[in-house]
Amino acid sequence: MTWQAYQPAALLIGIPLAVAFLLPFINILFGKRKFVPTFVGVGLALFQLLFGFLVVLPKAMDKPIFVFMSGFKPPLGIALWIDVFGAGLSMLLWFIALAAFIYNLSYLHVHDEMRFIILTMLMVTGATGVSLTNDLFNMYVFLEIASISAYALVNAYRTAETAEASMKYLILGSVATSFVLFALILIYQGTRSLNMWDISFKIGSMPTGTLWLAIASLFVGFGVEGAIWPLNSWLPDAHPAAPASISALLSGAVIKIGILAMVRFMYIVFAPVIATTKQFSVFLMVIAALTVLVGEIAAYRQHDVKRLLAFSSTAQVGYMVLGIFSGSPIGFVGGILHLFGHGLSKALAFLLTGEITDKVPDRDLNKAGGALSGISVAYSNLLSVLGLSSMPPFITFFSKLFILMGLIQRQFYWAAAVLAIGSIVEASYYGSYLAITSGSPLKWDRVSWRTVGYILLASGLVAISFLSPFVDSFSQGLLNFTAGTQMGFDHAVFNVAEWLINNGWMWLCIVALFILANLSLHAVGYAGLLISVLVLVFPQNAAELLGLSAGSVTSTILLGLLAVGAAVLSMVCLSGTGWGKNKSFQINAALLGFISLLWLISSNSLLSTLVAWEVLSWSGLMMVVGEGNRELASSYYGWAMASGLAFMFAVTGQALGQNWWLLALTLGVLIKLGMFGFHGWMIKVYGESSPVVGAVFSGILSLGAVVVTFKYGVENYLMFPVVILAGVQIIYGGLIALGKENLREILAYSSLSNMGFLIIAIFLSSKALQGAGLGSNAIVSYAPFIFAVAYALFESVLFLGTSYQRSNKGVLLSLSVVVASLASAAMPLTSGFLAKWSVYMSSIYAFSPLLTAVLMLGTILSIAYTAKWFILWLGSTSVTKRGVENVSLLVGALALIGTSFIQLGISWTGAFFWIVLLTLLATIVMLVPFFRKARQEGEVYTGSALFEPERATMQFEDLFYPYGLWLSKAAAHALEAGYTYLTSFFDFMADVVRSTYTGVINDYATYIVIFFIAAFVIGRGWLM
C-alpha cells in the first residue's frame, strides 16, 4: 500500500472546530447583529469546499493521505487517514451544510440563530472527523460530537413532539455509541492498538469469540447510526420533528457516516477475517435486503411527507449495503456512488418539505396538493424525485446499475430481485408524491434564501452527474482504497466519462428545446412539422446525421418512425388544447419523449438504448404528473420502473455474457407496450388523462418499443405464450371498448386491443428476420413498422379530437377525425387497412388459421367500437364551415392516407386489389347514410349521421339505417342455407355484441364476419 503525507489536510477538522468555539466571540465582535452567525457558517462551508475540492480530494484520488498528529507516527500517535471515500463524504457534508445555512436564512425568526449554527457546525465537524480519522478512539469521540449535536438539533422547535423524538434519538444513539465503545475496548484489549491499519495486521491474534463479539457490537452501533433495519426506529421520528435543513443533513449525509464506518472496519480492520468468512457477508446482504423491503413498503404506506422520506432513506441505505458488500468491484463502486447521489437528492427533497410544512403544518400528503407548484420548487422537486428513483442522467442511475451488475456478477440473484421489487415500490410512491405536490398549474414563485438553497443542491446533483471524468477518477480512487483486494474496474464496459461525452449533444438538444418550448409552443409545433418534412425529403442526410446506414431498409423504417413522431409532436403542440393541470410539465414531457425517440434511433449500444428508454419513461412521468392525479402517476411510474429494470437486467446480462439478456429486454418492451397482464397502467393513463397525454403516449412513446425491437429483436422462445396473451388482449380490449360510453375510455381499450396486434406483428417479424421459417416476404418483416405508423397517427388524432366533443366541429377537424376513424376501423386507402392487412399476412405465413381468425375478429370489433366512438364524438353539435384552428390534425389525416401506399412487399394486383375494391364498395354502402337527408320520425332523427337535432339525440343504430339491416339479413339467410357450424359461431358473436347493444349493430357484425372470411379465403389463394 502506498500513501502520501500532507499535514495541512488536518485543517478540514481543525478550522471548523475552532470556528464553532469562537463563533460567540465573533458575534460579539460584530455587535450581535442578525445574520452574522449564518454568514460565518456560509464562509466556513465555502472554505471547506474550496480547500477540499481543489487541494485535498485531488491528492486523495492519487494516493491516500496520512496526517500524523503531534509528531508521533502510528500506532503511538493519532493519525488521520484521508482516502477518496472519506474526503468525498466530508465534501458532501459541507456542501449540504452550505445549502442548509443559506436555506435557514429564511427561518431566523423561528430558531435561535447562534445556537442553531454552532450545533450544526459541530454536527458536521463531528461527521467529518469520523470520515477522516484513522484512530478508533477518535472515531468514537467524533461520533459522540456529531450525535449529541444532532440530538439537540432535532429538538430545535422545543415542542412536545420534538422533545419526544429527540429523547428517542438520544436513547438509541447512546446505546449505539456504547456498543461502539465496548467493541473498541475489546479490540484494544486484544491488539493493544487503536490505529486501524495497525489493528488489521494484529487482528488474527485476538480470540475468535472476542473478535466476533467486537464485530457484532460494531455492527449494532454503526447500524443504528446508519439507520439499517431493524436499528432504524429513531429515524422516522427524528425527521418529522427536526427542521427541514437538519433533516437534509441527517438523511443526506450524517447517517452515511455509519456506512463509512462499516466500510472502514470490514475492508481495513477486519479484512483478513471477513475475507475468509463468507457467511458474514451473506448475513450483511440479507440484512440489507430486509432493509430495502421494510423501508420501501413502510414508505409506501406513509401520509406524513417527512416520514415517507425517512423510511425511503432507510431503503436507500439497504441498496448501498447490497452493493458495497456484494464482493464485486463494480458493486462496491456502485454502492459508494449511490451514497453520494442519494445524499444530494434526499437533502434537496427534505429542504423542499419546508415549503410543504409552511402550507400543511401536519405534513399530511393528502392535504399537500400543489404545495410545490412554484416554478423553481416544482422543477427542483422533479430533479429530486428523478435522482431518488435512479433515473438518468443522474449518478444514482449508474450507481444502481453498478450495484445490480455486482449482484449478478456474484450470483446474488435473490438480492437482485429484491433490488428490483424495492425500486418498483419506490417509483410507485414517488410518482404519487410528485403528482400531489407538483401536479398543479405552475406559477412564478418569490425568490428567497430558500430558493437559493434549492438551486444550489439541484446544481450539485446535476454537476456530480455530468462531471463524469471526475466521477471516473473518483471510482478508481475508491477501488484503490480497498486495501489491496485486487479489485479492477472494467472501463471497456462502463466508462461513464466517455459515454456522457459521446452523448452530450443529446442533453444539449433537451435543454435547447425546453427553452424553446417555454418561449413558444407553436414554434415547437412548426419545428416538429419541419423535422418530419426534412426527414422525408432528405433521408440520406438524416441517416448520416443519426449514424444510420443510408439507403438501407432499416434506416428507412427508423427514419419513418422518426417522421411520424415529429408529426405527432407537431399536432400536439399546434392543437392548443387538451392539456392537463400542469401544462409546463406536459409540454416539456412531449418534447422529451420525441428526443428520447430520436436518441433510441441513433443509439449504438445497449447502454445508450437503456438511457434513452429511461428518459422515455420519465417523459411519460412528467405527462401523468401534469394531470395532478396521484393514482395515475403511481401506477404508471411503477410499471415504467419495471420496464426500465428489465432493460437494466438486459444491459447487465449482455455485459456479463449471459444468454438471458434478450429475454429481459423483451419483457421490458412488453411492459411498455401494455401487454395483457401488464396493461393496468395503460387503461388508467389513456382513459383518465387529458387528450394530449393519450396522444403523446400512443403517437410518440409507443414508437420507442418498435425501434428497440427492430434494433435488437425479441426472444422467440416467448412467442407461443405471448401470442396467446396478445390474442386474448385483442378480443378483451375490443369487447370492453364496445361497452364504454366515455370517449377516452373507448380509446384506452382500443389501444389495448391494437397493442395486441402490434405485439403479434413484432414477434412474427422477429422470427422472419431471424430466418425461422416464416418465409422472406417483406410484409412480414415490416408489419410492426406499418402497424406502428398507422396506430400512432390515427390514435393521436382521435385522442386530440376528444377535446372537441362538446364544441362546434370545424370542417377540417371533422375531416381529420373521419379519416382517423376510418383508419382505426381498418378501411382501405388509409394506413389502418394496410396495417391490419400486414398482420393478417404475417399470420398466414406463420400457417396459423386460428391466429388469423382472432385477428379478423379483433378487426370486426375495431369497426364496431370505432363506429360507436364516432357517434359519441359527433354528439349533438353541428359542423361549421370554419375550423382553420384545427388544421394541425389534418397533418395526421393526410399522413394516414399517404402512408397507405407504402411499398413494402405489397403488390396492388391480384388478391390485394380485389380485397381493397370489395372493402371500398362495402364502405361506401355503409357510409351512404351519412350523407342522406335526415328524416324525422316523431322526436327521433334517422337516416343520417350529420344532422342538427333540436330535441332528440342520435341513436347508435341510426348510423347503419337502412343498409346494415338489409345486408345482414341476406347474409344470415345465406349462412343458414349451407353453413350450420359457422352460423352457430356467428350467432355467438352476435350475442356477445348484443349483451352491450341492441339494434342492427349485431347483424352488421355478422355481415363483417362474412366479409373478412371471404378476404381470408382470397388471401390464402384457395379460390385462385
Side-chain angles (χ1 to χ4, degrees), residues 360-590:
V360 186
D362 62 356
R363 305 175 301 273
D364 187 347
L365 196 57
N366 296 319
K367 304 175 184 177
L372 301 178
S373 56
I375 290 179
S376 63
V377 295
Y379 281 99
S380 296
N381 194 30
L382 175 65
L383 293 179
S384 172
V385 167
L386 293 175
L388 290 171
S389 49
S390 302
M391 281 289 172
F394 302 108
I395 194 66
T396 49
F397 165 76
F398 290 101
S399 64
K400 189 168 282 188
L401 178 61
F402 293 170
I403 293 171
L404 178 63
M405 193 171 190
L407 295 175
I408 299 296
Q409 189 177 51
R410 294 299 180 183
Q411 299 184 352
F412 286 114
Y413 295 107
W414 60 269
V418 168
L419 180 145
I421 294 170
S423 298
I424 293 170
V425 175
E426 178 182 59
S428 297
Y429 65 72
Y430 274 132
S432 175
Y433 169 80
L434 188 60
I436 293 172
T437 55
S438 298
S440 299
L442 296 190
K443 55 183 182 293
W444 289 103
D445 45 357
R446 184 175 59 86
V447 177
S448 64
W449 288 112
R450 292 188 297 186
T451 309
V452 178
Y454 307 145
I455 294 174
L456 184 64
L457 283 178
S459 302
L461 178 60
V462 172
I464 197 176
S465 301
F466 278 95
L467 292 177
S468 50
F470 169 78
V471 173
D472 203 44
S473 301
F474 186 82
S475 301
Q476 289 301 306
L478 286 175
L479 295 173
N480 296 334
F481 148 77
T482 55
T485 54
Q486 303 300 318
M487 289 185 168
F489 194 57
D490 191 352
H491 282 66
V493 177
F494 291 110
N495 188 330
V496 179
E498 180 182 347
W499 181 87
L500 275 173
I501 290 171
N502 291 340
N503 291 275
W505 66 274
M506 194 62 72
W507 299 108
L508 292 176
C509 286
I510 291 174
V511 173
L513 285 176
F514 271 22
I515 294 173
L516 180 62
N518 287 293
L519 292 176
S520 172
L521 182 59
H522 281 78
V524 177
Y526 294 129
L529 186 59
L530 180 63
I531 291 171
S532 183
V533 172
L534 290 176
V535 168
L536 296 175
V537 175
F538 304 105
Q540 289 190 343
N541 303 85
E544 292 174 2
L545 182 64
L546 296 174
L548 303 174
S549 177
S552 68
V553 177
T554 301
S555 172
T556 302
I557 288 173
L558 295 178
L559 290 178
L561 293 173
L562 179 61
V564 170
V568 173
L569 177 66
S570 174
M571 288 191 292
V572 166
C573 294
L574 294 177
S575 65
T577 187
W579 299 93
K581 295 179 180 178
N582 190 336
K583 184 178 178 180
S584 299
F585 267 26
Q586 292 186 334
I587 291 172
N588 291 329

Side-chain angles (χ1 to χ4, degrees), residues 969-1016:
K969 284 183 177 179
H973 287 305
L975 285 173
E976 290 170 358
Y979 301 97
T980 306
Y981 174 77
L982 290 178
T983 303
S984 63
F985 173 73
F986 298 144
D987 290 339
F988 164 73
M989 284 305 306
D991 288 338
V992 170
V993 183
R994 192 174 289 115
S995 64
T996 307
Y997 303 110
T998 60
V1000 297
I1001 184 60
N1002 316 300
D1003 307 306
Y1004 174 70
T1006 305
Y1007 160 71
I1008 296 298
V1009 170
I1010 299 170
F1011 170 77
F1012 275 102
I1013 285 180
F1016 174 70

Side-chain angles (χ1 to χ4, degrees), residues 702-726:
S702 65
L703 299 179
V706 182
V707 172
V708 171
T709 57
F710 262 103
K711 281 177 170 286
Y712 300 100
V714 293
E715 183 56 78
N716 285 328
Y717 293 117
L718 291 175
M719 176 174 287
F720 183 71
V722 167
V723 168
I724 290 177
L725 284 174

